[in-house]
mmCIF file of all heavy atoms in Angstrom:
data_model
loop_
_atom_site.group_PDB
_atom_site.id
_atom_site.type_symbol
_atom_site.label_atom_id
_atom_site.label_comp_id
_atom_site.label_asym_id
_atom_site.label_seq_id
_atom_site.Cartn_x
_atom_site.Cartn_y
_atom_site.Cartn_z
ATOM 1 N N THR B 80 -21.530 1.243 -4.127
ATOM 2 C CA THR B 80 -21.097 2.220 -3.140
ATOM 3 C C THR B 80 -21.521 3.618 -3.575
ATOM 4 O O THR B 80 -21.850 3.774 -4.769
ATOM 5 C CB THR B 80 -19.649 2.270 -2.825
ATOM 6 O OG1 THR B 80 -18.947 2.643 -4.061
ATOM 7 C CG2 THR B 80 -19.066 0.869 -2.470
ATOM 8 N N THR B 81 -21.434 4.559 -2.698
ATOM 9 C CA THR B 81 -21.530 5.951 -3.077
ATOM 10 C C THR B 81 -20.109 6.450 -3.261
ATOM 11 O O THR B 81 -19.213 6.202 -2.488
ATOM 12 C CB THR B 81 -22.164 6.760 -1.890
ATOM 13 O OG1 THR B 81 -23.506 6.315 -1.667
ATOM 14 C CG2 THR B 81 -22.130 8.280 -2.131
ATOM 15 N N LEU B 82 -19.908 7.194 -4.373
ATOM 16 C CA LEU B 82 -18.583 7.542 -4.740
ATOM 17 C C LEU B 82 -18.052 8.741 -3.960
ATOM 18 O O LEU B 82 -18.608 9.865 -4.099
ATOM 19 C CB LEU B 82 -18.502 7.836 -6.250
ATOM 20 C CG LEU B 82 -18.842 6.650 -7.113
ATOM 21 C CD1 LEU B 82 -18.939 7.050 -8.625
ATOM 22 C CD2 LEU B 82 -17.872 5.492 -6.931
ATOM 23 N N ILE B 83 -17.140 8.507 -3.124
ATOM 24 C CA ILE B 83 -16.635 9.538 -2.239
ATOM 25 C C ILE B 83 -15.487 10.361 -2.925
ATOM 26 O O ILE B 83 -14.987 11.273 -2.345
ATOM 27 C CB ILE B 83 -16.181 8.939 -0.876
ATOM 28 C CG1 ILE B 83 -15.748 10.033 0.156
ATOM 29 C CG2 ILE B 83 -15.010 7.929 -1.072
ATOM 30 C CD1 ILE B 83 -16.782 10.925 0.619
ATOM 31 N N THR B 84 -15.213 9.971 -4.153
ATOM 32 C CA THR B 84 -14.141 10.652 -4.925
ATOM 33 C C THR B 84 -14.754 11.755 -5.797
ATOM 34 O O THR B 84 -14.509 12.902 -5.631
ATOM 35 C CB THR B 84 -13.373 9.692 -5.710
ATOM 36 O OG1 THR B 84 -14.365 8.822 -6.380
ATOM 37 C CG2 THR B 84 -12.505 8.827 -4.839
ATOM 38 N N THR B 85 -15.601 11.332 -6.756
ATOM 39 C CA THR B 85 -16.039 12.195 -7.774
ATOM 40 C C THR B 85 -17.272 13.039 -7.330
ATOM 41 O O THR B 85 -17.663 14.024 -8.008
ATOM 42 C CB THR B 85 -16.382 11.452 -9.027
ATOM 43 O OG1 THR B 85 -17.170 10.284 -8.682
ATOM 44 C CG2 THR B 85 -15.184 11.015 -9.738
ATOM 45 N N ASN B 86 -17.975 12.585 -6.263
ATOM 46 C CA ASN B 86 -19.031 13.427 -5.704
ATOM 47 C C ASN B 86 -18.441 14.455 -4.750
ATOM 48 O O ASN B 86 -17.543 14.205 -4.003
ATOM 49 C CB ASN B 86 -20.009 12.544 -4.862
ATOM 50 C CG ASN B 86 -20.974 11.756 -5.687
ATOM 51 O OD1 ASN B 86 -21.534 12.293 -6.582
ATOM 52 N ND2 ASN B 86 -20.933 10.429 -5.549
ATOM 53 N N ASP B 87 -19.001 15.669 -4.823
ATOM 54 C CA ASP B 87 -18.701 16.631 -3.835
ATOM 55 C C ASP B 87 -19.202 16.211 -2.404
ATOM 56 O O ASP B 87 -20.363 15.902 -2.291
ATOM 57 C CB ASP B 87 -19.332 18.025 -4.279
ATOM 58 C CG ASP B 87 -19.031 19.116 -3.332
ATOM 59 O OD1 ASP B 87 -18.362 18.925 -2.318
ATOM 60 O OD2 ASP B 87 -19.487 20.307 -3.649
ATOM 61 N N PRO B 88 -18.353 16.200 -1.465
ATOM 62 C CA PRO B 88 -18.855 15.739 -0.108
ATOM 63 C C PRO B 88 -19.947 16.679 0.402
ATOM 64 O O PRO B 88 -20.810 16.134 1.208
ATOM 65 C CB PRO B 88 -17.553 15.852 0.779
ATOM 66 C CG PRO B 88 -16.545 16.565 -0.043
ATOM 67 C CD PRO B 88 -16.896 16.432 -1.491
ATOM 68 N N VAL B 89 -19.983 17.902 0.010
ATOM 69 C CA VAL B 89 -21.090 18.730 0.429
ATOM 70 C C VAL B 89 -22.443 18.255 -0.143
ATOM 71 O O VAL B 89 -23.422 18.212 0.587
ATOM 72 C CB VAL B 89 -20.839 20.222 -0.057
ATOM 73 C CG1 VAL B 89 -22.053 21.028 0.129
ATOM 74 C CG2 VAL B 89 -19.730 20.816 0.751
ATOM 75 N N ARG B 90 -22.406 17.796 -1.402
ATOM 76 C CA ARG B 90 -23.633 17.294 -1.997
ATOM 77 C C ARG B 90 -24.019 15.975 -1.325
ATOM 78 O O ARG B 90 -25.167 15.646 -1.135
ATOM 79 C CB ARG B 90 -23.430 17.054 -3.498
ATOM 80 C CG ARG B 90 -23.310 18.355 -4.234
ATOM 81 C CD ARG B 90 -24.618 19.227 -4.226
ATOM 82 N NE ARG B 90 -25.727 18.604 -4.815
ATOM 83 C CZ ARG B 90 -27.000 18.735 -4.378
ATOM 84 N NH1 ARG B 90 -27.297 19.393 -3.311
ATOM 85 N NH2 ARG B 90 -27.953 18.126 -5.016
ATOM 86 N N ILE B 91 -22.976 15.072 -1.034
ATOM 87 C CA ILE B 91 -23.301 13.821 -0.340
ATOM 88 C C ILE B 91 -23.967 14.118 1.004
ATOM 89 O O ILE B 91 -24.985 13.512 1.345
ATOM 90 C CB ILE B 91 -22.023 12.979 -0.121
ATOM 91 C CG1 ILE B 91 -21.463 12.550 -1.464
ATOM 92 C CG2 ILE B 91 -22.350 11.794 0.718
ATOM 93 C CD1 ILE B 91 -20.211 11.722 -1.324
ATOM 94 N N ALA B 92 -23.416 15.097 1.714
ATOM 95 C CA ALA B 92 -23.944 15.414 3.028
ATOM 96 C C ALA B 92 -25.414 15.922 2.956
ATOM 97 O O ALA B 92 -26.278 15.431 3.654
ATOM 98 C CB ALA B 92 -23.108 16.534 3.649
ATOM 99 N N GLU B 93 -25.683 16.730 1.938
ATOM 100 C CA GLU B 93 -27.038 17.276 1.784
ATOM 101 C C GLU B 93 -28.000 16.151 1.294
ATOM 102 O O GLU B 93 -29.090 15.970 1.863
ATOM 103 C CB GLU B 93 -27.026 18.401 0.811
ATOM 104 C CG GLU B 93 -26.298 19.610 1.236
ATOM 105 C CD GLU B 93 -26.149 20.674 0.175
ATOM 106 O OE1 GLU B 93 -26.217 20.318 -1.067
ATOM 107 O OE2 GLU B 93 -25.847 21.856 0.504
ATOM 108 N N GLU B 94 -27.601 15.446 0.244
ATOM 109 C CA GLU B 94 -28.554 14.489 -0.359
ATOM 110 C C GLU B 94 -28.905 13.342 0.600
ATOM 111 O O GLU B 94 -29.998 12.914 0.698
ATOM 112 C CB GLU B 94 -27.919 13.936 -1.638
ATOM 113 C CG GLU B 94 -27.875 14.986 -2.783
ATOM 114 C CD GLU B 94 -27.223 14.470 -4.027
ATOM 115 O OE1 GLU B 94 -26.897 13.246 -4.109
ATOM 116 O OE2 GLU B 94 -26.948 15.253 -4.894
ATOM 117 N N TYR B 95 -27.857 12.849 1.295
ATOM 118 C CA TYR B 95 -28.106 11.659 2.099
ATOM 119 C C TYR B 95 -28.774 12.037 3.441
ATOM 120 O O TYR B 95 -29.516 11.268 4.006
ATOM 121 C CB TYR B 95 -26.867 10.891 2.300
ATOM 122 C CG TYR B 95 -26.452 10.084 1.110
ATOM 123 C CD1 TYR B 95 -25.731 10.619 0.088
ATOM 124 C CD2 TYR B 95 -26.986 8.733 0.955
ATOM 125 C CE1 TYR B 95 -25.476 9.897 -1.069
ATOM 126 C CE2 TYR B 95 -26.730 8.009 -0.181
ATOM 127 C CZ TYR B 95 -25.926 8.612 -1.150
ATOM 128 O OH TYR B 95 -25.704 7.885 -2.343
ATOM 129 N N ALA B 96 -28.567 13.289 3.884
ATOM 130 C CA ALA B 96 -29.331 13.799 5.084
ATOM 131 C C ALA B 96 -30.776 13.925 4.682
ATOM 132 O O ALA B 96 -31.735 13.556 5.472
ATOM 133 C CB ALA B 96 -28.751 15.093 5.551
ATOM 134 N N MET B 97 -31.053 14.364 3.484
ATOM 135 C CA MET B 97 -32.433 14.469 3.032
ATOM 136 C C MET B 97 -33.061 13.128 2.902
ATOM 137 O O MET B 97 -34.226 12.913 3.370
ATOM 138 C CB MET B 97 -32.387 15.163 1.636
ATOM 139 C CG MET B 97 -33.712 15.584 1.139
ATOM 140 S SD MET B 97 -34.457 16.872 2.084
ATOM 141 C CE MET B 97 -36.138 16.868 1.497
ATOM 142 N N LEU B 98 -32.345 12.239 2.364
ATOM 143 C CA LEU B 98 -32.829 10.841 2.292
ATOM 144 C C LEU B 98 -33.077 10.288 3.709
ATOM 145 O O LEU B 98 -34.132 9.578 3.893
ATOM 146 C CB LEU B 98 -31.830 9.942 1.593
ATOM 147 C CG LEU B 98 -32.102 8.463 1.517
ATOM 148 C CD1 LEU B 98 -33.408 8.118 0.708
ATOM 149 C CD2 LEU B 98 -30.946 7.629 0.893
ATOM 150 N N GLN B 99 -32.215 10.608 4.574
ATOM 151 C CA GLN B 99 -32.383 10.073 5.937
ATOM 152 C C GLN B 99 -33.707 10.571 6.606
ATOM 153 O O GLN B 99 -34.414 9.830 7.252
ATOM 154 C CB GLN B 99 -31.143 10.528 6.779
ATOM 155 C CG GLN B 99 -31.192 9.943 8.216
ATOM 156 C CD GLN B 99 -30.126 10.603 9.071
ATOM 157 O OE1 GLN B 99 -29.848 11.790 8.870
ATOM 158 N NE2 GLN B 99 -29.665 9.929 10.081
ATOM 159 N N HIS B 100 -34.020 11.846 6.346
ATOM 160 C CA HIS B 100 -35.296 12.430 6.859
ATOM 161 C C HIS B 100 -36.493 11.655 6.139
ATOM 162 O O HIS B 100 -37.422 11.282 6.848
ATOM 163 C CB HIS B 100 -35.362 13.883 6.535
ATOM 164 C CG HIS B 100 -34.667 14.696 7.594
ATOM 165 N ND1 HIS B 100 -35.207 15.197 8.772
ATOM 166 C CD2 HIS B 100 -33.395 15.160 7.632
ATOM 167 C CE1 HIS B 100 -34.363 15.837 9.468
ATOM 168 N NE2 HIS B 100 -33.213 15.797 8.780
ATOM 169 N N LEU B 101 -36.418 11.607 4.866
ATOM 170 C CA LEU B 101 -37.578 11.032 4.118
ATOM 171 C C LEU B 101 -37.789 9.552 4.500
ATOM 172 O O LEU B 101 -38.900 9.052 4.543
ATOM 173 C CB LEU B 101 -37.351 11.204 2.601
ATOM 174 C CG LEU B 101 -37.427 12.577 2.167
ATOM 175 C CD1 LEU B 101 -37.037 12.727 0.632
ATOM 176 C CD2 LEU B 101 -38.778 13.248 2.327
ATOM 177 N N ALA B 102 -36.677 8.834 4.705
ATOM 178 C CA ALA B 102 -36.748 7.423 5.030
ATOM 179 C C ALA B 102 -36.981 7.209 6.555
ATOM 180 O O ALA B 102 -36.945 6.091 7.044
ATOM 181 C CB ALA B 102 -35.518 6.676 4.597
ATOM 182 N N LYS B 103 -37.104 8.271 7.303
ATOM 183 C CA LYS B 103 -37.235 8.238 8.816
ATOM 184 C C LYS B 103 -36.151 7.421 9.391
ATOM 185 O O LYS B 103 -36.403 6.610 10.255
ATOM 186 C CB LYS B 103 -38.607 7.547 9.113
ATOM 187 C CG LYS B 103 -39.839 8.359 8.519
ATOM 188 C CD LYS B 103 -40.238 9.541 9.372
ATOM 189 C CE LYS B 103 -41.393 10.248 8.821
ATOM 190 N NZ LYS B 103 -41.043 11.648 8.308
ATOM 191 N N GLY B 104 -34.964 7.604 8.869
ATOM 192 C CA GLY B 104 -33.842 6.945 9.490
ATOM 193 C C GLY B 104 -33.543 5.573 8.957
ATOM 194 O O GLY B 104 -32.490 4.973 9.276
ATOM 195 N N ARG B 105 -34.362 5.044 8.097
ATOM 196 C CA ARG B 105 -34.150 3.687 7.499
ATOM 197 C C ARG B 105 -33.180 3.721 6.375
ATOM 198 O O ARG B 105 -33.432 3.354 5.246
ATOM 199 C CB ARG B 105 -35.429 3.063 7.025
ATOM 200 C CG ARG B 105 -36.383 2.575 8.131
ATOM 201 C CD ARG B 105 -37.521 1.813 7.553
ATOM 202 N NE ARG B 105 -38.493 2.648 6.835
ATOM 203 C CZ ARG B 105 -38.815 2.447 5.490
ATOM 204 N NH1 ARG B 105 -38.241 1.546 4.785
ATOM 205 N NH2 ARG B 105 -39.694 3.331 4.938
ATOM 206 N N MET B 106 -31.988 4.214 6.655
ATOM 207 C CA MET B 106 -30.924 4.325 5.566
ATOM 208 C C MET B 106 -29.540 4.334 6.189
ATOM 209 O O MET B 106 -29.408 4.612 7.336
ATOM 210 C CB MET B 106 -31.156 5.556 4.679
ATOM 211 C CG MET B 106 -31.028 6.818 5.430
ATOM 212 S SD MET B 106 -29.372 7.484 5.797
ATOM 213 C CE MET B 106 -28.756 7.908 4.235
ATOM 214 N N ASP B 107 -28.631 3.935 5.331
ATOM 215 C CA ASP B 107 -27.199 4.249 5.671
ATOM 216 C C ASP B 107 -26.494 4.320 4.313
ATOM 217 O O ASP B 107 -27.181 4.267 3.318
ATOM 218 C CB ASP B 107 -26.554 3.218 6.722
ATOM 219 C CG ASP B 107 -26.777 1.786 6.347
ATOM 220 O OD1 ASP B 107 -26.660 1.413 5.165
ATOM 221 O OD2 ASP B 107 -26.976 0.998 7.302
ATOM 222 N N LEU B 108 -25.208 4.452 4.304
ATOM 223 C CA LEU B 108 -24.538 4.426 3.021
ATOM 224 C C LEU B 108 -23.143 3.840 3.145
ATOM 225 O O LEU B 108 -22.533 3.780 4.196
ATOM 226 C CB LEU B 108 -24.516 5.876 2.476
ATOM 227 C CG LEU B 108 -23.514 6.853 3.121
ATOM 228 C CD1 LEU B 108 -23.226 8.012 2.192
ATOM 229 C CD2 LEU B 108 -24.288 7.448 4.384
ATOM 230 N N MET B 109 -22.639 3.342 1.977
ATOM 231 C CA MET B 109 -21.351 2.781 1.922
ATOM 232 C C MET B 109 -20.566 3.615 0.987
ATOM 233 O O MET B 109 -21.009 3.905 -0.160
ATOM 234 C CB MET B 109 -21.458 1.359 1.422
ATOM 235 C CG MET B 109 -20.155 0.603 1.580
ATOM 236 S SD MET B 109 -20.108 -0.814 0.419
ATOM 237 C CE MET B 109 -21.619 -1.708 0.961
ATOM 238 N N LEU B 110 -19.363 3.965 1.380
ATOM 239 C CA LEU B 110 -18.491 4.779 0.537
ATOM 240 C C LEU B 110 -17.423 3.932 -0.175
ATOM 241 O O LEU B 110 -16.895 2.957 0.388
ATOM 242 C CB LEU B 110 -17.762 5.888 1.380
ATOM 243 C CG LEU B 110 -18.706 6.832 2.175
ATOM 244 C CD1 LEU B 110 -17.917 7.752 3.006
ATOM 245 C CD2 LEU B 110 -19.616 7.567 1.218
ATOM 246 N N GLY B 111 -17.216 4.331 -1.465
ATOM 247 C CA GLY B 111 -16.181 3.611 -2.182
ATOM 248 C C GLY B 111 -15.570 4.602 -3.154
ATOM 249 O O GLY B 111 -16.087 5.711 -3.319
ATOM 250 N N ARG B 112 -14.414 4.229 -3.736
ATOM 251 C CA ARG B 112 -13.668 5.127 -4.561
ATOM 252 C C ARG B 112 -14.035 5.186 -5.968
ATOM 253 O O ARG B 112 -14.020 6.141 -6.734
ATOM 254 C CB ARG B 112 -12.182 4.875 -4.453
ATOM 255 C CG ARG B 112 -11.632 5.294 -3.127
ATOM 256 C CD ARG B 112 -10.136 5.390 -3.128
ATOM 257 N NE ARG B 112 -9.475 4.141 -3.049
ATOM 258 C CZ ARG B 112 -8.368 3.754 -3.644
ATOM 259 N NH1 ARG B 112 -7.691 4.695 -4.451
ATOM 260 N NH2 ARG B 112 -7.806 2.578 -3.537
ATOM 261 N N GLY B 113 -14.485 4.021 -6.508
ATOM 262 C CA GLY B 113 -14.736 3.932 -7.960
ATOM 263 C C GLY B 113 -13.425 3.677 -8.685
ATOM 264 O O GLY B 113 -12.390 4.320 -8.375
ATOM 265 N N ASN B 114 -13.394 2.676 -9.574
ATOM 266 C CA ASN B 114 -12.096 2.389 -10.256
ATOM 267 C C ASN B 114 -12.151 2.547 -11.804
ATOM 268 O O ASN B 114 -11.326 1.985 -12.447
ATOM 269 C CB ASN B 114 -11.612 1.052 -9.875
ATOM 270 C CG ASN B 114 -12.593 -0.022 -10.275
ATOM 271 O OD1 ASN B 114 -13.574 0.282 -10.942
ATOM 272 N ND2 ASN B 114 -12.359 -1.303 -9.993
ATOM 273 N N THR B 115 -13.125 3.315 -12.215
ATOM 274 C CA THR B 115 -13.229 3.574 -13.708
ATOM 275 C C THR B 115 -12.557 4.858 -14.033
ATOM 276 O O THR B 115 -13.102 5.919 -13.834
ATOM 277 C CB THR B 115 -14.680 3.530 -14.181
ATOM 278 O OG1 THR B 115 -15.357 2.392 -13.595
ATOM 279 C CG2 THR B 115 -14.770 3.479 -15.675
ATOM 280 N N ALA B 116 -11.369 4.807 -14.624
ATOM 281 C CA ALA B 116 -10.563 5.977 -14.839
ATOM 282 C C ALA B 116 -11.240 7.067 -15.609
ATOM 283 O O ALA B 116 -11.185 8.219 -15.207
ATOM 284 C CB ALA B 116 -9.224 5.620 -15.508
ATOM 285 N N PRO B 117 -11.936 6.744 -16.700
ATOM 286 C CA PRO B 117 -12.538 7.878 -17.472
ATOM 287 C C PRO B 117 -13.600 8.667 -16.753
ATOM 288 O O PRO B 117 -13.929 9.827 -17.071
ATOM 289 C CB PRO B 117 -13.255 7.133 -18.678
ATOM 290 C CG PRO B 117 -12.540 5.814 -18.731
ATOM 291 C CD PRO B 117 -12.131 5.517 -17.342
ATOM 292 N N VAL B 118 -14.173 8.071 -15.666
ATOM 293 C CA VAL B 118 -15.310 8.768 -14.914
ATOM 294 C C VAL B 118 -14.732 10.013 -14.237
ATOM 295 O O VAL B 118 -15.423 11.058 -14.041
ATOM 296 C CB VAL B 118 -16.036 7.807 -13.919
ATOM 297 C CG1 VAL B 118 -16.997 8.592 -13.100
ATOM 298 C CG2 VAL B 118 -16.693 6.692 -14.685
ATOM 299 N N TYR B 119 -13.537 9.919 -13.700
ATOM 300 C CA TYR B 119 -13.001 10.989 -12.898
ATOM 301 C C TYR B 119 -12.940 12.281 -13.615
ATOM 302 O O TYR B 119 -13.477 13.268 -13.082
ATOM 303 C CB TYR B 119 -11.649 10.578 -12.346
ATOM 304 C CG TYR B 119 -11.637 9.573 -11.181
ATOM 305 C CD1 TYR B 119 -11.934 8.218 -11.428
ATOM 306 C CD2 TYR B 119 -11.390 10.008 -9.925
ATOM 307 C CE1 TYR B 119 -11.954 7.318 -10.347
ATOM 308 C CE2 TYR B 119 -11.417 9.055 -8.831
ATOM 309 C CZ TYR B 119 -11.753 7.725 -9.081
ATOM 310 O OH TYR B 119 -11.743 6.847 -8.028
ATOM 311 N N PRO B 120 -12.302 12.382 -14.746
ATOM 312 C CA PRO B 120 -12.329 13.696 -15.470
ATOM 313 C C PRO B 120 -13.737 14.228 -15.830
ATOM 314 O O PRO B 120 -13.819 15.481 -15.895
ATOM 315 C CB PRO B 120 -11.495 13.410 -16.710
ATOM 316 C CG PRO B 120 -11.332 11.970 -16.806
ATOM 317 C CD PRO B 120 -11.521 11.340 -15.443
ATOM 318 N N TRP B 121 -14.670 13.355 -16.034
ATOM 319 C CA TRP B 121 -16.028 13.919 -16.318
ATOM 320 C C TRP B 121 -16.473 14.751 -15.088
ATOM 321 O O TRP B 121 -17.377 15.636 -15.290
ATOM 322 C CB TRP B 121 -17.069 12.766 -16.512
ATOM 323 C CG TRP B 121 -16.748 11.962 -17.714
ATOM 324 C CD1 TRP B 121 -16.110 12.315 -18.839
ATOM 325 C CD2 TRP B 121 -17.103 10.574 -17.926
ATOM 326 N NE1 TRP B 121 -15.987 11.296 -19.755
ATOM 327 C CE2 TRP B 121 -16.658 10.203 -19.210
ATOM 328 C CE3 TRP B 121 -17.816 9.645 -17.147
ATOM 329 C CZ2 TRP B 121 -16.904 8.924 -19.759
ATOM 330 C CZ3 TRP B 121 -18.014 8.315 -17.713
ATOM 331 C CH2 TRP B 121 -17.568 8.047 -18.949
ATOM 332 N N PHE B 122 -15.989 14.464 -13.933
ATOM 333 C CA PHE B 122 -16.365 15.275 -12.773
ATOM 334 C C PHE B 122 -15.170 16.161 -12.268
ATOM 335 O O PHE B 122 -15.163 16.567 -11.131
ATOM 336 C CB PHE B 122 -16.887 14.394 -11.668
ATOM 337 C CG PHE B 122 -18.138 13.611 -12.083
ATOM 338 C CD1 PHE B 122 -18.038 12.374 -12.697
ATOM 339 C CD2 PHE B 122 -19.354 14.162 -11.907
ATOM 340 C CE1 PHE B 122 -19.221 11.675 -13.054
ATOM 341 C CE2 PHE B 122 -20.548 13.502 -12.324
ATOM 342 C CZ PHE B 122 -20.441 12.308 -12.914
ATOM 343 N N GLY B 123 -14.302 16.439 -13.161
ATOM 344 C CA GLY B 123 -13.213 17.260 -12.815
ATOM 345 C C GLY B 123 -12.178 16.710 -11.802
ATOM 346 O O GLY B 123 -11.496 17.449 -11.145
ATOM 347 N N ALA B 124 -12.069 15.393 -11.755
ATOM 348 C CA ALA B 124 -11.195 14.777 -10.862
ATOM 349 C C ALA B 124 -10.129 13.941 -11.600
ATOM 350 O O ALA B 124 -10.228 13.770 -12.787
ATOM 351 C CB ALA B 124 -11.994 13.959 -9.859
ATOM 352 N N ASP B 125 -9.204 13.388 -10.812
ATOM 353 C CA ASP B 125 -8.084 12.669 -11.391
ATOM 354 C C ASP B 125 -7.949 11.352 -10.584
ATOM 355 O O ASP B 125 -7.726 11.448 -9.408
ATOM 356 C CB ASP B 125 -6.797 13.525 -11.270
ATOM 357 C CG ASP B 125 -5.552 12.881 -11.818
ATOM 358 O OD1 ASP B 125 -5.610 11.671 -12.084
ATOM 359 O OD2 ASP B 125 -4.575 13.508 -11.937
ATOM 360 N N ILE B 126 -8.000 10.285 -11.302
ATOM 361 C CA ILE B 126 -7.967 8.975 -10.581
ATOM 362 C C ILE B 126 -6.686 8.737 -9.800
ATOM 363 O O ILE B 126 -6.642 8.068 -8.855
ATOM 364 C CB ILE B 126 -8.234 7.767 -11.555
ATOM 365 C CG1 ILE B 126 -8.608 6.529 -10.729
ATOM 366 C CG2 ILE B 126 -7.087 7.484 -12.495
ATOM 367 C CD1 ILE B 126 -9.143 5.348 -11.560
ATOM 368 N N ARG B 127 -5.590 9.440 -10.290
ATOM 369 C CA ARG B 127 -4.325 9.267 -9.564
ATOM 370 C C ARG B 127 -4.363 9.825 -8.156
ATOM 371 O O ARG B 127 -3.570 9.498 -7.339
ATOM 372 C CB ARG B 127 -3.225 9.869 -10.405
ATOM 373 C CG ARG B 127 -2.881 9.093 -11.665
ATOM 374 C CD ARG B 127 -2.000 9.897 -12.576
ATOM 375 N NE ARG B 127 -2.612 11.188 -12.970
ATOM 376 C CZ ARG B 127 -1.995 12.111 -13.705
ATOM 377 N NH1 ARG B 127 -0.809 11.861 -14.249
ATOM 378 N NH2 ARG B 127 -2.659 13.189 -14.111
ATOM 379 N N GLN B 128 -5.338 10.723 -7.958
ATOM 380 C CA GLN B 128 -5.487 11.340 -6.657
ATOM 381 C C GLN B 128 -6.663 10.668 -5.877
ATOM 382 O O GLN B 128 -7.126 11.253 -4.851
ATOM 383 C CB GLN B 128 -5.776 12.838 -6.826
ATOM 384 C CG GLN B 128 -4.652 13.669 -7.400
ATOM 385 C CD GLN B 128 -3.511 13.526 -6.520
ATOM 386 O OE1 GLN B 128 -3.561 13.764 -5.326
ATOM 387 N NE2 GLN B 128 -2.265 13.350 -7.107
#
Side-chain angles (χ1 to χ4, degrees):
Chain B
T80 64
T81 295
L82 300 175
I83 185 64
T84 45
T85 46
N86 283 307
D87 181 357
V89 168
R90 293 296 295 148
I91 296 180
E93 293 173 341
E94 288 174 12
Y95 285 87
M97 189 69 191
L98 173 63
Q99 187 192 24
H100 278 272
L101 293 173
K103 303 277 183 247
R105 283 189 289 122
M106 61 77 72
D107 50 42
L108 68 160
M109 189 202 304
L110 301 178
R112 288 197 280 148
N114 61 2
T115 313
V118 175
Y119 283 74
W121 295 334
F122 295 93
D125 178 350
I126 196 169
R127 291 169 299 181
Q128 294 297 314

